[in-house]
């Protein structure tokens, strides 16, 4: 376990790296907190590279109740920028990792083998997973070649696995867009940035019965931003680029790391040829720190361009139309876009209204062919339960802020929850299995707040009800700076210890994480 002494040591490292000057530089009006890292490589013309589709992983074996998979985590060489080679760390050596297609109620067992030079941890984000398989940050999967801890006492104190281990996912939960990604204690930011992220899509009968676009018109889109060195390698401001010893990023990037290249499914500003029909896009923001406000240009004249049908962890009961989609790190929006109202040949750009220059665009759709369309978006999708405030048995308050009273005694040295940096030995909430609780969250600067295990609904933002992007069951809430929001979370599934944290990965690595123990 991470001892108090290690927390002090960790905080001490961070303190050295943080000049007072950057503390004043908090989030801007775009609702993102982060600092732009500029590429030194030649960047491609946008909308020239075809949108890649992550391959669907084949099970190695199946029985009546379970699909078995194997994944090797290893370095891979890929061409992200034309003509340059980028080394990534990927699930099966690719970025994004392979997509796992799962069925609600059917178990998925993934055997991971760590062929990387550092420990890893796999978390299925949005999954209702037993604690031992949830990817608790110190439950390290050590490299096959062996590992000597050089950093902190905690590297030898979680549930360690040597080289290989399996993760068991019951997936007793409805159809939804989940993703799996690295969750190593103190090093999640750089390890996800290097490529350790992939989709896991859960399907169920209710979803199958809906006439939504399907097959090759149901497309997962993983959005993230990166920066590249001259030779095409990924740029990231790690204090220790070997990721072996000192965690954290250099002083200027405590707010979060934003790249100047927008990737969709691993390709910079790609283009997708579409037919003049409806498409279902499963949008995932897999960026470390960047928020997006997505729009289509030209916009449709005859209705909202995005019809949202699903949120983080399931379908909505009714579709919701949006002119734009605001999406914070780790959030998912399942949307239908209808290209039938665009004249044949139209090039429709998905823009990012929170970006500027190159980061102001994301990808392009080229309406290139005619096709028949049997899909529709029905006005009722599924029956889903609405949780009322009165159902809660407890209310807890969590304040997400800079460490004003960090353990080192210096102001602003780490990111904290209720003034405390993460300590794996301290339990911050003990909800009872099967109950619902109201969590009142407050922030200084923007923080996307994520709970493991528990799915929740947003009850209010300040004096207002839920915002336009808060609909449905969520696992991450996009908190703006200086805001208070109330969520109602239901703690079902399993007893045991899980984390909740800010999903700005630099904040998470800088200790903005707590323990919830379901009892
Ligand atoms: Cu997507 Cu605790 O993480
Ligand atoms: Cu944060």
């Amino acid at each position: 376990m991470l001892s108090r002494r290690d927390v002090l040591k960790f905080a001490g490292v961070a303190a050295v790296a943080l000049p007072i000057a950057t503390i004043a530089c908090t989030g801007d009006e775009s609702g993102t907190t982060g600092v732009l890292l500029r590429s030194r490589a030649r960047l491609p013309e946008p909308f020239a590279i075809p949108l890649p589709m992550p391959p669907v992983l084949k099970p190695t074996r199946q029985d009546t109740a379970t699909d078995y998979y194997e994944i090797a985590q290893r370095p891979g060489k890929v061409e992200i920028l034309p003509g340059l080679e980028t080394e990534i760390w990927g699930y099966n050596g690719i970025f994004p990792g392979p997509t796992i297609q799962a069925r609600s109620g059917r178990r998925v067992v993934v055997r991971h083998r760590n062929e990387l030079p550092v420990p890893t941890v796999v978390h299925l984000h949005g999954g209702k997973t037993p604690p031992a398989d949830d990817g608790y940050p110190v439950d390290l999967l050590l490299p096959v070649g062996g590992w000597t801890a050089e950093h902190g006492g905690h590297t030898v104190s979680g549930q360690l696995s040597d080289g290989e281990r399996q993760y068991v996912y019951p997936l007793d939960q409805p159809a939804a867009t989940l993703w799996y990604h690295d969750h190593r204690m103190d090093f999640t930011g750089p390890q996800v940035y290097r490529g350790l992220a992939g989709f896991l899509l859960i399907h169920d009968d209710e979803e199958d019965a809906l006439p939504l676009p399907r097959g090759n018109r149901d497309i997962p889109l993983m959005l993230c931003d990166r920066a590249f060195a001259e030779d095409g390698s990924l740029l990231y401001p790690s204090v220790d680029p070997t990721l072996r010893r000192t965690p954290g990023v250099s002083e200027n990037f405590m707010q979060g790391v934003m790249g100047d290249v927008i990737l969709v499914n691993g390709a910079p500003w790609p283009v997708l040829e579409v037919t003049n029909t409806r498409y279902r896009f499963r949008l995932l923001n897999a960026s470390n720190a960047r928020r997006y406000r997505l729009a289509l240009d030209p916009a449709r004249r005859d209705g909202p361009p995005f019809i949202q049908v699903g949120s983080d962890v399931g379908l909505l009961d009714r579709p919701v139309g949006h002119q734009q989609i605001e999406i914070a790190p780790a959030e998912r929006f399942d949307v239908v876009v209808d290209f039938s109202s665009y004249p044949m040949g139209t090039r429709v750009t998905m823009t990012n209204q929170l970006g500027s220059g190159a980061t102001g665009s994301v990808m392009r759709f080229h309406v290139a062919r005619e096709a028949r369309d049997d899909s529709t978006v029905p006005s009722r999708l599924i029956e889903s339960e609405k949780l009322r405030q009165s159902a809660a048995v407890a209310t807890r308050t969590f304040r997400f802020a800079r460490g004003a009273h960090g353990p080192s005694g210096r102001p602003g040295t780490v990111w904290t929850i209720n003034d405390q940096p993460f300590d794996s030995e301290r339990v911050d909430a003990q909800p009872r299995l099967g109950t619902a609780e109201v969590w009142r969250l407050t922030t200084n600067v923007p923080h996307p707040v994520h709970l493991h295990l528990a799915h929740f609904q947003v009850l209010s933002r300040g004096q207002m009800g839920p915002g336009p992007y808060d609909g449905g069951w969520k696992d991450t809430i996009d908190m703006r700076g200086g805001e208070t929001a109330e969520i109602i979370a239901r703690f079902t599934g399993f007893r045991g210890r899980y984390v909740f944290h800010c999903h700005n990965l630099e904040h998470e690595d800088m200790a903005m994480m707590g323990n919830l123990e379901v009892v």
Side-chain angles (χ1 to χ4, degrees), residues 123 125 179 181 183 330 450 452 499 501 503 508:
H123 171 57
H125 183 122
W179 61 303
H181 63 76
H183 217 300
H450 169 51
H452 286 215
V499 289
H501 59 87
H503 219 289
E508 177 184 337

Side-chain angles (χ1 to χ4, degrees), residues 422-433:
F422 181 66
D423 179 345
S424 64
E425 287 171 68
R426 184 191 67 237
V427 174
D428 301 277
Q430 267 187 333
R432 295 173 62 88
L433 184 68

Side-chain angles (χ1 to χ4, degrees), residues 74-78 80 86-90 93-95 194-195 234:
R74 56 171 193 251
K77 295 214 189 298
V78 294
I80 298 175
T86 303
E87 181 177 301
I88 55 102
W89 287 357
I94 59 173
F95 165 55
R194 289 183 192 203
L234 286 165

Side-chain angles (χ1 to χ4, degrees), residues 238-421:
S238 286
V239 171
D240 169 15
T242 68
L243 310 186
R244 295 183 65 85
R245 287 172 291 270
T246 315
V249 288
S250 66
E251 49 191 67
N252 305 326
F253 288 91
M254 287 289 288
Q255 301 281 341
V257 176
M258 297 201 292
D260 59 356
V261 177
I262 308 295
L263 305 178
V264 185
N265 293 349
W269 303 286
V271 59
L272 176 68
E273 281 206 354
V274 294
T275 53
N276 60 339
T277 59
R278 291 183 192 82
Y279 280 75
R280 177 176 178 184
F281 295 117
R282 300 163 182 266
L283 300 164
L284 159 66
N285 182 354
S287 308
N288 282 31
R290 184 182 284 280
R291 283 177 85 249
Y292 301 79
R293 187 193 296 138
L294 305 172
L296 294 183
D297 178 27
R300 281 180 58 190
R301 272 157 301 157
D302 51 346
F306 300 107
I307 308 295
Q308 186 190 354
V309 296
S311 57
D312 294 339
V313 280
L315 291 163
L316 302 180
D317 50 1
R318 290 167 184 275
V320 177
H322 296 286
Q323 285 300 329
Q324 294 105 15
I325 298 275
E326 288 191 21
I327 183 168
E331 282 191 300
R332 285 87 72 210
F333 284 84
D334 198 335
V335 300
V336 171
V337 173
D338 186 355
F339 293 104
S340 70
S341 61
Y342 291 107
M344 191 53 57
T346 309
R347 289 176 162 85
V348 184
T349 305
M350 187 191 280
T351 60
N352 167 28
Q353 296 179 339
L354 302 182
S356 58
T359 62
S361 49
V362 174
M363 66 174 291
R364 178 169 280 176
F365 305 99
H366 178 202
V367 187
R369 279 166 298 120
E370 307 242 1
R372 243 167 57 88
D373 191 0
D374 296 327
S375 74
T376 56
V377 181
S379 60
R380 287 220 66 106
L381 297 165
I382 58 156
E383 293 293 333
S384 89
E385 188 189 354
K386 187 138 181 67
L387 295 183
R388 290 184 198 293
Q389 187 128 19
S390 57
V393 301
T395 300
R396 299 178 200 271
T397 301
F398 294 103
R399 190 174 64 261
F400 289 74
R402 275 272 192 186
H405 314 284
S408 68
R410 294 180 54 154
T413 54
V414 284
W415 293 98
T416 59
I417 303 174
N418 287 352
D419 292 332
Q420 293 181 293

